[in-house]
Amino acid sequence: MNNREKKFAAKIKTERQVRALGKDRSVIILLLLVTTSLCACSRNMEPKAEASRAALAPLVKTVQSRQQPLQNELQVVGNLAGYEEVIVSSQVEGPVKRIVHDLGDSVSRGTVLAEIDPTELNMQLQRAQASYREVLARLGIPEGSEEIPAVENTAEVRQAKAELDDANTKVRRMESLLQRGVVSQQAVDDAHTTQKVAAARYQAAIQSVQNMIASAHQFRAALAWAHKKVQDTAVRSPIGGIVQEKLVSIGEVVKVNQSMFKLVSVQPLKFRAQVMEKDAPLVHSGARVDIAVDAVPGRQFPGTVHRLAPAVEEKTRTFTVEAIIPNPGGLLKPGFFARCIIPVGSYTAVLAPREAVITIAGLKKIYVIENGVAQERNVEVGRAEQNWVEIKQGLQPREYVAVSNLQSLSNGLKVQTQ
């Protein structure tokens, strides 16, 4: 190849390199433009992403925990009983004539519960009245009067006393006549004999009247007893309360001391429980108590400690406490199982709103909000005070806790607070 051809070939090669270089430069410029555009888009999207993430953070309402004194309490369980529980028994024997009150009836003291046929007892009463009137007549007491006179005031004794006085007068007269020689000694002796007979009759009259007066008192007592037996045919309530059980039926012949009714007084009631001996210094007569029963949920009934057992039972190491519980409206019934709270001092507690506490897998949890971040804490819950609950462990006073949107929270999640 000559020089001319070599120069032409070199020129063509140079032009190709220039064209190739131009293409590469265009690509590079295009890549630079794309990269610059992407970076700009990324910088523009970052604030939007932040705003989006902020919009997704849950909104929660927070309440500040608080600290306040609470009553320290002794809790015991026991049973309610009637203030008075009575078994009413028959005082006489006979068939039941009428049942006046039955199960659940409210009765007052003295109310007739049942009646026993009084026919036989009325006959006994009439015999006692006849015997009593007979002895009164022998004592000379007029009809309609029952006053028993003194022995000296009875007719028989007065008559005997008059005969004795007459005999004494005759003796004195005969002795005077004997001294003047008017009568013989025999006449004086006869007067003395008459005096002795009159004195004996007087003593016999006194003894007889005393026996009749004793009989009168005896018949009077028998008559009163017969009256009582007739009155006892009306079986009456010894207390005010409610018929808990009726144990007899009409026509049944009851015996003396046979149980007929079971009565219970329900206003007020008694609460009895066993308290451990270590708690003995905490309980005293007159202390206030609060009673809760399952039959009336959500309500407490106030009462007062009334009696304390003087000794501890050796087997259980407990002693009995008895409290009096008013029963307005009769909501409480004897036999109810009850829980009793006895205040025994005070202590300082941390409280959180009741709605702030959630239960997960049996654990009590609470979310504390610090610097816009939710912190999950396990807590130990104590007593409830209206809409607040005691937090024994896991929370400090004046910390903010979430009370809404709790199901959307998790540990470490950013939140918006309301």
Side-chain angles (χ1 to χ4, degrees), residues 21 94 192 250 288 310 354 396:
L21 181 61
H192 278 288
I250 293 179
R288 181 181 64 85
R354 187 191 298 267
Q396 299 299 321

Side-chain angles (χ1 to χ4, degrees), residues 379-400:
V379 294
E380 182 181 350
V381 176
R383 294 166 47 193
E385 290 289 325
Q386 296 181 353
N387 294 327
W388 294 75
V389 65
E390 177 189 2
I391 305 299
K392 293 184 175 181
Q393 187 176 357
L395 185 65
Q396 299 299 321
R398 298 184 176 276
E399 289 190 297
Y400 286 93

Side-chain angles (χ1 to χ4, degrees), residues 58-75:
L59 177 65
V60 296
K61 180 181 178 181
T62 60
V63 176
Q64 194 177 41
S65 63
R66 69 188 188 188
Q67 192 175 33
Q68 72 177 49
L70 293 181
Q71 283 285 346
N72 204 2
E73 299 174 342
L74 174 64
Q75 297 189 11

